[in-house]
Amino acid sequence: VTDRSKRATIYDVAREAGLAPSTVSNALTGKAGVSPKSRARILAAVEKLDYRALPLARALRSRRSYAIGVLIADVANPSFPDFVRGIEDVAMRERCTLLLGNTDGREDVQLAHMDALLTRGVDGIVLISQHTASNEARRMMQAGPPCVLVQRRSPPFTEDYVGSDNRSGILAAVRHLVEFGHSRIGFVRGPVESSTAAERLSVFREAVAQFGLDADAGLVYPGDYTTESGFHAATMMLQAPRPPSAIIASNDMNALGIIEAAHQLGVRIPGDLSVVGFDDIALASLGRIDLTTIRLPKREMGKAAAELLMRRINAEEGEPPQEIIFPTRLVIRGSTGPASRPSHSDSTSS
Amino acid sequence: VTDRSKRATIYDVAREAGLAPSTVSNALTGKAGVSPKSRARILAAVEKLDYRALPLARALRSRRSYAIGVLIADVANPSFPDFVRGIEDVAMRERCTLLLGNTDGREDVQLAHMDALLTRGVDGIVLISQHTASNEARRMMQAGPPCVLVQRRSPPFTEDYVGSDNRSGILAAVRHLVEFGHSRIGFVRGPVESSTAAERLSVFREAVAQFGLDADAGLVYPGDYTTESGFHAATMMLQAPRPPSAIIASNDMNALGIIEAAHQLGVRIPGDLSVVGFDDIALASLGRIDLTTIRLPKREMGKAAAELLMRRINAEEGEPPQEIIFPTRLVIRGSTGPASRPSHSDSTSS
DNA sequence: TTGTATGCGTTATCAC
DNA sequence: GTGATAACGCATACAA
């Protein structure tokens, strides 16, 4: 059906329909100024020859590839599929194909991918949690086709952006923990390059001040979005002289690491330690995990990013960069509970 | 850096180097017959103008796109990233880009994706767990560029294939359970279209006969690879008059559903029920999950599939289809244990 | 409304 | 070893 070697071209269709190639092109690309009669003849010929325009050639000529690039920091994070599905939703509708790149959070890999995408003539790019601060990255975003940033950006905020309301999310989480009587709350911060992680941290610090919680510097642990990072952070924090009675993770995968560390140290959840995640991945609701977390409407965010991108692609220049912030919602499950009486006793040593 | 409008073309390089475009092309694509001197001049010009060939144009002319398509049934399955990474490993080395498609296990979506990929001129396609039986699918695979199937195929087995040794995996699992004294073993079978699922089932039946286990038809439950399916299957089986004392899941995600159902029914694992998964996703090793499972070398399989595909792409026709089967290994964790004395008592009703 | 000619950036062909 | 020139398949001015 699709062997390139003996595939019908627009010329074949033109001949079959007794019209000129340009007319066929006009008809097929939906341009006005083709008589209904000709259009019908062309459609018939197309049907008969099973003609489909070659995207390659079309893209070369028209500078429109009907392909959009999606760069993701970590395919293995369960949040990713949700974003992708949202993007797919609109991509399919717009007859676009997705080019996927996994960057491992490394800027060099990201730049290489971006270069490959640009050079392939994608119509636009969705950057999910990618580096945006460097000159190199900036230059690419400006020189190339439209870009929409998701969940990470850098000042000055001159790009289209889809993000989440981290402020209310973190505040809700802290308030929830405070209501349970927690006053020593640990916090695993996400990657330093992540604007989202930075925002969450700053809001957390605000909340600590606002609610009069322990502002111990040791309660903020540097990390990233991985399970390993959560494991490591919790292992350290829980074995410190005065361990926290609750920890807010950088995200759900991170929280799984925290839970694992607690498990290995014999620290019970939520008895000895409350844990709050961020994202609300599907696993969080499993009985064995039962993670209280801050839900992110990931699919909707992906969809919004793609919609915005399509608008940029189809529209004239000029509109100022847009910023779409999605609300978050605290989903309370079994990983959070009342703080044990005083400041809870020292956990078992390793 | 990459604005298409004022991007250096091969003509610019040729002018800069004082040579002809075709010579530049020859030099850049590594063809023999270009003097070292010219080559150096060309390289210098390329450097100076920051020239990079446009893949679009290159593909149009040379019929080689340096892009390969990857179709996956379910991006949300944690196994998927591992396969993809394996594919990526070799794709990057070969300077290929990945075009990703998610098919949801639906054949119509799959065919649409395949059409899009073919029509985009990808050099090859890796089909992970896709439909391969229909005429339509077959025709596409034959008419188009090379295809490599992973984890699912249909007779007659005339395509390149990368799979796993399901036989020894299932046998090891059953033996393991038998050693624990289990004699009523449940089995959730994967999607009917999956050759892998079918093979596992048939081996399971063999094993049941071989070890003289209960051959109750109710112990084989139809399902697929999802968590929901596992949940549903386990909910039914555990509430049946004579529930199994162990269940082998269609895969790890499926096992999570089984564990969840047990959790909700108050059935303890492994006290009342042993569970064995298939895949060994990262989560399986978490203390809260602790799933005994049959490990699949996913990344290696992805890599092997990509390597095989590259060979097909670069080689002349003629070699017979190849089949690469990877060994599996039973990883014993905490979700399996001794069978409770007799045939275990009825579980709590919902 | 339709047709003609040309260009998109590259590689392939075949002279030189 | 090198260089004109013609494709690749389509879209776009512009002429008819």
Side-chain angles (χ1 to χ4, degrees), chain A residues 227 231 253 255-261 263-264 283 288-289, chain B residues 281-291 333:
Chain A
T227 302
F231 181 83
M253 289 305 277
L256 290 184
I258 294 173
I259 291 173
E260 178 68 9
H263 181 90
Q264 293 192 11
L283 293 165
R288 288 280 188 108
I289 306 290
Chain B
I281 60 180
L283 293 165
S285 66
L286 290 182
R288 288 281 188 107
I289 306 291
D290 205 23
L291 179 68
R333 299 205 181 88

Side-chain angles (χ1 to χ4, degrees), chain B residues 205-228:
Chain B
R205 288 198 164 123
E206 263 183 56
V208 164
Q210 179 182 329
F211 290 105
L213 309 177
D214 285 12
D216 190 341
L219 289 176
V220 171
Y221 207 90
D224 55 36
Y225 290 135
T226 65
T227 302
E228 293 69 35

Side-chain angles (χ1 to χ4, degrees), chain B residues 185-199:
Chain B
I185 302 179
F187 186 94
V188 182
R189 74 154 291 165
V192 286
E193 312 89 356
S194 167
S195 59
T196 293
E199 186 182 351

Side-chain angles (χ1 to χ4, degrees), chain B:
Chain B
V1 126
T2 321
D3 192 351
R4 174 86 179 275
S5 53
K6 49 192 165 197
R7 182 183 167 126
T9 75
I10 202 170
Y11 283 91
D12 300 323
V13 176
R15 193 180 322 114
E16 179 76 26
L19 292 166
S22 49
T23 305
V24 174
S25 173
N26 285 334
L28 264 36
T29 52
K31 288 215 172 48
V34 178
S35 71
K37 205 169 156 183
S38 297
R39 195 179 293 274
R41 290 236 302 281
I42 290 170
L43 257 39
V46 164
E47 181 71 22
K48 179 174 173 191
L49 300 176
D50 186 31
Y51 167 81
R52 281 155 313 138
L54 194 72
L56 238 48
R58 193 198 285 267
L60 178 60
R61 180 65 232 216
S62 65
R63 313 207 149 171
R64 180 87 158 80
S65 66
Y66 290 90
I68 71 180
V70 178
L71 258 39
I72 181 88
D74 179 16
V75 260
N77 188 303
S79 292
F80 153 70
D82 291 332
F83 283 113
V84 168
R85 292 190 101 89
I87 297 172
E88 246 184 359
D89 288 342
V90 352
M92 289 204 76
R93 189 192 69 208
E94 302 279 340
R95 313 202 147 291
C96 284
T97 296
L98 297 189
L99 305 210
L100 179 75
N102 181 226
T103 62
D104 261 339
R106 286 175 48 190
E107 182 160 15
D108 55 335
V109 178
Q110 176 191 335
L111 292 175
H113 272 299
M114 288 183 73
D115 189 70
L117 292 176
L118 294 178
T119 211
R120 254 164 217 291
V122 294
D123 296 335
I125 302 183
V126 179
L127 294 175
I128 307 178
S129 194
Q130 300 297 323
H131 295 264
T132 57
S134 73
N135 290 332
E136 191 63 11
R138 283 225 124 74
R139 213 163 34 164
M140 282 204 170
M141 296 194 299
Q142 282 165 5
C147 271
V148 172
L149 271 34
V150 177
Q151 287 295 67
R152 187 189 296 178
R153 57 176 171 178
S154 301
F157 303 133
T158 53
E159 288 93 11
D160 287 317
Y161 179 72
V162 173
S164 55
D165 182 359
N166 300 302
R167 158 167 287 276
S168 61
I170 292 293
L171 287 180
V174 173
R175 189 174 303 116
H176 170 63
L177 291 172
V178 166
E179 283 167 358
F180 267 142
H182 294 274
S183 61
R184 280 186 70 77
I185 302 179
F187 186 94
V188 182
R189 74 154 291 165
V192 286
E193 312 89 356
S194 167
S195 59
T196 293
E199 186 182 351
R200 289 176 191 169
L201 174 59
S202 94
V203 173
F204 173 72
R205 288 198 164 123
E206 263 183 56
V208 164
Q210 179 182 329
F211 290 105
L213 309 177
D214 285 12
D216 190 341
L219 289 176
V220 171
Y221 207 90
D224 55 36
Y225 290 135
T226 65
T227 302
E228 293 69 35
S229 159
F231 181 81
H232 183 249
T235 300
M236 301 307 271
M237 288 204 248
L238 291 175
Q239 294 185 115
R242 298 183 57 215
S245 65
I247 301 181
I248 297 178
S250 63
N251 71 357
D252 283 356
M253 289 305 277
N254 192 256
L256 290 184
I258 294 173
I259 290 174
E260 178 69 8
H263 180 92
Q264 293 191 12
L265 292 172
V267 173
R268 287 165 312 151
I269 294 174
D272 302 323
L273 179 73
S274 287
V275 178
V276 179
F278 212 114
D279 277 357
D280 194 25
I281 60 180
L283 293 165
S285 66
L286 290 182
R288 288 281 188 107
I289 306 291
D290 205 23
L291 179 68
T292 293
T293 187
I294 300 160
R295 174 176 295 167
L296 224 56
K298 299 172 285 297
R299 185 163 183 166
E300 288 70 24
M301 290 174 71
K303 194 165 176 175
E307 301 276 20
L308 181 50
L309 186 62
M310 290 326 279
R311 276 219 302 288
R312 290 290 177 214
I313 292 173
N314 295 321
E316 310 309 312
E317 310 288 314
E319 294 174 57
Q322 230 180 300
E323 152 178 325
I324 305 178
I325 304 299
F326 278 80
T328 55
R329 188 162 73 74
L330 182 68
V331 178
I332 299 173
R333 299 205 181 88
S335 68
T336 47
S340 49
R341 286 319 115 207
S343 77
H344 93 258
S345 63
D346 213 342
S347 59
T348 63
S349 60
S350 77

